[in-house]
């Protein structure tokens, strides 16, 4: 959105260490075109250092698509055909109920109010692959590509992953899909296998990580599919309550220190469940904790350095969502200081890095854009804070099959 | 991906780097393919599995490059359970799993925040015949010395401690913790993780202690907090811990019990005198500190917080209320200047005063 002339001048000034301090903050511009190019490059190719994130490819795709969506460039850059191809790729990662699964009747019985004790232990055996339904992160398990998804149960470790299901749904909305090929029942049923007694969720069936991130994913998935029957809401709220620390910030799990990321996950989950007042012990004190994270940009924990991504995690915790009031204290932050910090982590060829002078990565690039969008940066779309998607994608959600005439 | 330094490079160097990367990617892909073939075979009945040393070594190679590939950890455990450890005598199992721990230590060096490494470590210790939990505690504390804020490490430490519960007296265990966190704080008062740990320990300690013991513990705790505050009045960790020690009046809007409040009110319940007297005493001390450190934002915020608590703790008459509000207004004015980043919040508070 900024003119090229203005940018060249700023670039020259930025490179000269003597004038760095003299840059008036209102002259800070964010080069939208460079960011668009950065995301475009990432969507085409991610270099070797990303290899160890291949199982998380769905989330990387979400960062790329989300960034371009907030920059209002999805339909400009990508043809309808390309978007369809991507929608197909996403659906190809959907693990659907095995064709040999017991039929609807048995499934209803398993989920009914009939004394469940003797059925519970039989469930995994009877349900074949129902415990792993949802989306995986990439074709890492080597199954043949099919836009219809897959109905195999052969691969014991080919399981859906909560964060991949969440980002798959978001990405589909960004690309304009209406969820007509989603097997809602299978996904919601899959959630029932993932919640632990303490209320938290593991990321996959028999997974070993369980913390606030996956609790958020489970709530967001339920919200987007308009079906909360797969999660125990009381236990979710209880887990969040117990994860609050003496400083009223929220940790990844009970006993862990308060952290910006987990605080966002908890607050957003509570607002999607409409349980903010039950879940937060003191809204006031949590707001205070969040505001105290601002150094210039934001830090994730007390006495740690600022990091681009917390402009999103902390900012989105403070800002009200469209129809869901979160905490509503975003206007208390110092926007100019935040912008100043983000200008120092902006990459010369677009994207953002965690700290100044590092190579940008796709996650921080998205977070930087999202952080700017929260501050109503010109040329950017508004963000739905609780779901972390654009207003347009949110509109697509409201037009999706589960929200229309249920 | 995260945190890589920017380095200038020529087109030549770029090309060479890409070629090298392409080879690495190809090798990695081949390894993964071999691995999957061995584990799954072609048969749904899984009779073609190769739970062999060869398969095991392939998983090692993959995990060196990508410890976040969780599927491969699952394979590795299967190879151990159904192959290498199966029917093995106790000392062989002990040996193999001890080697696993060494392997984990090695890959941990470059991946200190990988959940999977910690998880596999837990599995090994829970599977081996004779786990050495004391050694494990020593190891994790060494790790926390290198990175005191690594919350994976703190979480793992709590897990290891829970395993020591059977071999150590609960009191002994709590004391070890207190000593450890105290040491961390002495090294660096900014150690938020250490304060956080203490806030979880203290209620447990207090619940079993005698009246005198409790008084001693609370006094000591206040001592540590104040020592930190006076050493560095700008460090928020100690201040927030101090706030927690003083507790909170139950005036929140939540429906259920305030568990955090309960924890700290246990602290205060043992101190003689009612809460408003205690608050008044602390307020006097803070005012003295403020004379020396007039620009301490945290000192001012704490004063304001205590004034607020005083309002809730005690029924004040009109003139007392008026004076209190005046003091709070003055603090707001000072904070707007000193902590301009949060000016709007202070303005809001000021406007809400009577």
């Amino acid at each position: 959105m900024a003119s090229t002339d203005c940018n060249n001048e700023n670039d020259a000034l930025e490179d000269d260490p003597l004038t760095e301090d003299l840059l008036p903050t209102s002259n800070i511009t964010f080069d939208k075109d460079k960011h668009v190019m950065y995301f475009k490059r990432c969507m085409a190719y991610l270099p070797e250092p990303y290899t160890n994130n291949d199982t998380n490819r769905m989330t990387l795709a979400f960062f790329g698509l989300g960034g371009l969506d907030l920059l209002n460039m999805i339909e400009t850059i990508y043809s309808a055909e390309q978007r369809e191809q991507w929608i197909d790729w996403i659906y190809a990662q959907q693990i659907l109920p095995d064709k040999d699964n017991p039929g609807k009747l048995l499934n209803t019985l398993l989920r009914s109010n009939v004394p469940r004790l003797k059925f519970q232990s039989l469930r995994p055996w009877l349900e074949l692959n129902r415990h792993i339904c949802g989306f995986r992160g990439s074709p890492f398990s080597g199954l043949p590509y099919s836009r219809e998804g897959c109905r195999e149960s052969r691969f014991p470790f080919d399981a859906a992953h909560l964060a991949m299901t969440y980002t798959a749904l978001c990405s589909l909305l960004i690309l304009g899909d209406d969820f007509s090929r989603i097997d809602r029942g299978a996904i919601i049923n899959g959630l029932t296998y993932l919640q632990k007694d303490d209320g938290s969720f593991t990321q996959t069936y028999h997974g070993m990580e369980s913390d606030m991130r996956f609790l958020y994913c489970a709530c967001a998935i339920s919200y987007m599919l308009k079906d909360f029957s797969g999660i125990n809401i009381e236990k979710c709220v209880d887990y969040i309550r117990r994860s609050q620390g003496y400083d009223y910030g929220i940790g990844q799990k009970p006993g862990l220190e308060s952290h910006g990321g987990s605080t966002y996950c908890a607050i957003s989950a509570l607002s999607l469940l409409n349980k903010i007042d039950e879940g937060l012990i003191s809204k006031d004190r949590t707001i205070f904790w969040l505001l105290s994270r601002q150094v210039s940009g934001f830090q994730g924990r007390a006495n740690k350095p600022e990091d681009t991504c917390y402009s999103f995690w902390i900012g989105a915790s403070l800002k009200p969502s469209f129809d869901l009031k979160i905490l509503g204290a975003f206007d208390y932050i110092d926007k100019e200081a935040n912008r100043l910090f983000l200008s120092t982590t902006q990459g010369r060829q677009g994207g953002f890095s965690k700290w100044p002078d590092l190579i940008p990565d796709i996650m921080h690039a998205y977070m930087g854009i999202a952080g700017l969008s929260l501050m109503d940066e010109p040329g950017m779309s508004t963000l739905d804070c609780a779901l972390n998607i654009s207003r347009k994608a949110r509109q697509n959600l409201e037009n999706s099959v589960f929200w229309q005439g249920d | 991906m995260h945190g890589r330094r920017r380095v200038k490079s020529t087109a030549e160097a770029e090309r060479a780097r890409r070629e090298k990367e392409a080879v690495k990617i190809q090798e990695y892909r081949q390894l993964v393919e071999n691995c999957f073939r061995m584990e799954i075979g072609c048969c749904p009945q899984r009779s073609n599995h190769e739970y062999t040393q060869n398969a095991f070594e392939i998983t090692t190679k993959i995990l060196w490059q990508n410890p976040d590939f969780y599927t491969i950890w699952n394979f590795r455990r299967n190879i151990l359970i159904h192959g290498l450890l199966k029917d093995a005598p106790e000392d062989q199992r002990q040996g193999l799993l001890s080697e696993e721990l060494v392997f984990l230590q090695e890959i941990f060096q470059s991946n200190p925040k990988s959940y999977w490494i910690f998880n596999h470590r837990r599995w090994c210790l829970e599977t081996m015949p004779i786990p050495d939990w004391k050694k494990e505690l020593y190891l994790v504390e060494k790790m926390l010395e290198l990175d005191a804020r690594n919350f994976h490490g703190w979480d793992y430490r709590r897990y290891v401690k829970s395993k020591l519960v059977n071999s150590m007296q609960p009191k002994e265990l709590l004391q070890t913790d207190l000593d450890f966190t105290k040491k961390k704080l002495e090294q660096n008062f900014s150690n938020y993780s250490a304060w956080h740990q203490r806030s979880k320990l203290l209620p447990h300690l207090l619940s079993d202690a005698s009246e005198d013991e409790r008084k001693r513990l609370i006094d000591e705790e206040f001592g540590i907090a104040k020592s930190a505050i006076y050493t560095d009045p700008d460090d928020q960790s100690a201040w927030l811990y101090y706030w927690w020690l003083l507790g909170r009046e139950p005036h929140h809007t939540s429906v259920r019990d305030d568990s955090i409040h309960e924890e700290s009110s246990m602290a205060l319940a043992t101190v003689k005198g009612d809460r408003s007297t205690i608050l008044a005493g602390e307020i006097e001390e803070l005012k003295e500190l403020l004379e020396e450190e007039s620009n301490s934002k945290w000192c001012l915020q704490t004063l304001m917080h205590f004034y607020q608590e005083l309002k809730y703790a005690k029924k004040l008459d009109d003139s007392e209320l008026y004076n209190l509000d005046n003091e709070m207004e003055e603090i707001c004015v000072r904070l707007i200047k000193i902590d301009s980043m949060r000016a709007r919040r202070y303005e809001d508070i000021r406007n809400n005063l009577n």
Side-chain angles (χ1 to χ4, degrees), chain B residues 224-237:
Chain B
I224 297 177
K226 288 205 180 154
S227 189
I229 287 168
Y230 281 83
T231 308
D232 184 5
D234 288 331
D235 182 357
Q236 58 182 296
S237 334

Side-chain angles (χ1 to χ4, degrees), chain B residues 46-228:
Chain B
R46 297 158 67 183
S47 56
N48 284 358
H49 292 299
E50 273 195 51
Y51 290 134
T52 59
Q53 184 63 32
N54 186 28
F56 189 72
E57 278 163 19
I58 291 184
T59 63
T60 307
K61 286 201 184 111
I62 297 174
L63 291 168
W64 262 110
Q65 294 191 49
N66 186 0
D68 288 323
F69 196 162
Y70 54 87
T71 312
I72 306 295
W73 284 113
N74 287 336
F75 288 177
R76 195 179 174 86
R77 280 187 283 271
N78 264 357
I79 295 167
L80 285 165
I81 297 171
H82 301 298
L84 305 177
L85 291 174
K86 194 169 174 201
D87 302 328
E90 188 175 293
D91 59 340
Q92 199 178 324
R93 285 189 290 134
Q94 181 72 16
L96 247 164
L97 289 166
S98 301
E99 274 169 34
E100 265 313 77
L101 291 178
V102 173
F103 167 60
L104 285 166
Q105 246 176 285
E106 287 167 4
I107 49 176
F108 177 76
Q109 310 282 354
S110 31
N111 301 279
K113 301 199 178 169
S114 172
Y115 274 100
W116 306 105
I117 293 178
F118 280 104
N119 281 325
H120 190 66
R121 229 186 147 75
R122 288 184 209 218
W123 180 85
C124 287
L125 286 157
E126 288 180 7
T127 311
M128 70 198 316
I130 313 158
D132 188 345
W133 294 107
K134 279 218 164 106
K135 181 178 174 197
E136 204 57 18
L137 189 67
Y138 171 77
L139 266 174
V140 70
E141 290 184 358
K142 263 260 156 304
M143 183 272 259
L144 285 171
E145 221 145 282
L146 293 169
D147 181 3
R149 300 297 296 277
N150 186 337
F151 60 74
H152 297 265
W154 282 95
D155 196 37
Y156 188 68
R157 188 177 172 278
R158 281 164 71 235
Y159 160 79
V160 171
K161 252 179 39 201
S162 70
K163 294 293 178 183
L164 279 168
V165 154
N166 293 329
S167 58
M168 285 172 86
Q169 289 288 359
K171 263 221 131 60
E172 193 190 339
L173 210 54
L174 283 171
Q175 193 58 48
T176 319
D177 251 353
L178 264 182
D179 293 339
F180 178 69
T181 52
K182 190 159 179 216
K183 191 173 96 178
K184 287 265 150 281
L185 287 170
E186 278 160 7
Q187 286 166 352
N188 181 5
F189 276 128
S190 282
N191 197 326
Y192 211 80
S193 308
W195 288 118
H196 195 86
Q197 252 328 83
R198 277 185 100 82
S199 75
K200 300 293 164 194
L201 290 172
L202 204 63
H204 289 298
L205 268 172
L206 293 173
S207 62
D208 288 329
S210 67
E211 177 93 25
D212 285 338
E213 183 67 13
R214 272 195 235 165
K215 177 139 205 334
R216 190 190 67 78
L217 283 165
I218 292 295
D219 282 345
E220 193 185 338
E221 212 57 24
F222 268 91
I224 297 177
K226 288 205 180 154
S227 189

Side-chain angles (χ1 to χ4, degrees), chain A residues 45 47-56 60 140-141 154-157 159 161 203-204 207-211 213 234 237-238 241-242 244-248 252-259 277-278 280-282 284-285 287-289 291-296 299 301-304 307 331-335 337 346-349 353-364, chain B residues 1-7 17-18 21 24-25 28 32 36 39-44 46 65-71 74-75 77-78 111 113 115-116 119-120 122-123 147-151 154-155 158 189-193 195-197 199-200 234-237 240-241 243-244 248 252-261 298 301 305 309 340-346 348:
Chain A
Y45 165 79
E48 186 258 339
Y50 284 92
T51 317
N52 63 6
N53 266 291
D54 190 50
T55 48
N56 299 327
L60 301 179
F140 65 81
S141 57
R154 283 204 270 153
F155 297 89
F157 305 113
H161 183 302
Q203 87 284 25
T204 62
M208 294 168 98
E209 294 179 78
S210 77
D211 55 48
R213 301 173 295 167
E234 282 297 298
V237 176
D238 183 60
R241 281 188 74 87
R242 287 183 297 108
Q244 278 160 83
Y246 69 95
D247 52 3
Y248 299 89
Q252 284 292 358
K253 37 171 100 162
L256 286 189
E257 68 173 295
S258 310
H259 183 283
D277 288 323
E278 285 94 327
L280 290 183
I281 295 169
S282 165
D284 245 4
R285 293 291 300 277
I287 289 175
F288 177 67
W289 184 85
L291 289 173
S292 301
R293 294 311 113 233
Q294 182 162 29
V295 178
S296 164
Q299 64 191 185
R301 292 183 270 168
N303 299 331
K304 289 212 90 187
D307 174 336
D331 290 330
Y332 288 150
I333 73 161
D334 185 332
K335 292 184 186 168
Q346 193 179 203
R348 286 197 198 104
Q349 304 306 322
S353 54
K354 167 187 172 92
W355 295 328
D357 292 328
L358 294 180
I359 297 177
D361 63 77
I362 197 175
M363 186 193 87
H364 287 94
Chain B
M1 194 180 79
H2 250 206
R4 287 178 69 229
R5 295 230 138 245
R6 185 191 299 282
V7 164
R17 191 180 61 81
R18 283 197 181 210
E21 272 186 15
K24 276 171 86 178
I25 292 174
Y28 177 77
V32 173
F36 273 96
E39 170 62 18
I40 286 134
C42 330
C43 199
R46 297 158 67 183
Q65 294 191 49
N66 186 0
D68 288 323
F69 196 162
Y70 54 87
T71 312
N74 287 336
F75 288 177
R77 280 187 283 271
N78 264 357
N111 301 279
K113 301 199 178 169
Y115 274 100
W116 306 105
N119 281 325
H120 190 66
R122 288 184 209 218
W123 180 85
D147 181 3
R149 300 297 296 277
N150 186 337
F151 60 74
W154 282 95
D155 196 37
R158 281 164 71 235
F189 276 128
S190 282
N191 197 326
Y192 211 80
S193 308
W195 288 118
H196 195 86
Q197 252 328 83
S199 75
K200 300 293 164 194
D234 288 331
D235 182 357
Q236 58 182 296
S237 334
L240 284 175
Y241 191 69
W243 290 28
W244 179 77
R248 214 173 128 242
H252 54 89
T253 55
S254 309
V255 170
R256 293 201 230 156
D257 296 336
D258 179 346
S259 53
I260 294 176
H261 165 71
W298 277 99
Q301 289 197 116
H305 173 66
E309 288 295 311
S340 56
M341 195 161 279
R342 280 157 276 269
R344 273 177 226 98
R345 180 174 169 264
Y346 302 130
D348 214 40

Side-chain angles (χ1 to χ4, degrees), chain A residues 83-92 145-147 181:
Chain A
R83 283 179 268 136
E84 271 310 308
Q85 282 177 4
W86 276 343
I87 290 174
D88 282 347
W89 183 89
I90 294 174
Y91 275 118
Y145 179 88
S146 164
R147 66 189 287 283
R181 284 141 72 184

Side-chain angles (χ1 to χ4, degrees), chain A residues 134-201:
Chain A
F135 286 79
R136 69 170 88 79
S138 70
F140 65 81
S141 57
L143 281 163
Y145 179 88
S146 164
R147 66 189 287 283
E148 313 296 328
C150 95
R151 289 186 183 278
E152 302 281 357
S153 304
R154 283 204 270 153
F155 297 89
F157 305 113
D158 182 33
H161 183 302
L162 273 182
M164 306 307 136
T165 304
Y166 161 68
T167 49
L169 294 176
C170 292
S171 300
L172 285 170
L173 291 174
I174 291 168
L175 291 165
D177 183 72
D178 64 355
F179 287 172
S180 49
R181 284 141 72 184
I182 295 280
D183 187 334
R184 173 166 69 165
I187 294 176
I188 301 297
N189 187 45
L191 293 179
T192 62
Y193 283 99
L194 302 178
Q195 189 167 25
K196 292 166 70 171
D197 263 328
D198 66 2
S200 68
F201 286 78

Side-chain angles (χ1 to χ4, degrees), chain B residues 295-313:
Chain B
N295 281 332
S296 169
K297 154 186 129 173
W298 277 99
C299 190
L300 286 164
Q301 289 197 116
T302 305
L303 253 178
M304 182 144 75
H305 173 66
F306 286 176
Y307 281 141
Q308 191 64 48
E309 288 295 311
L310 200 59
K311 277 190 185 183
Y312 292 116

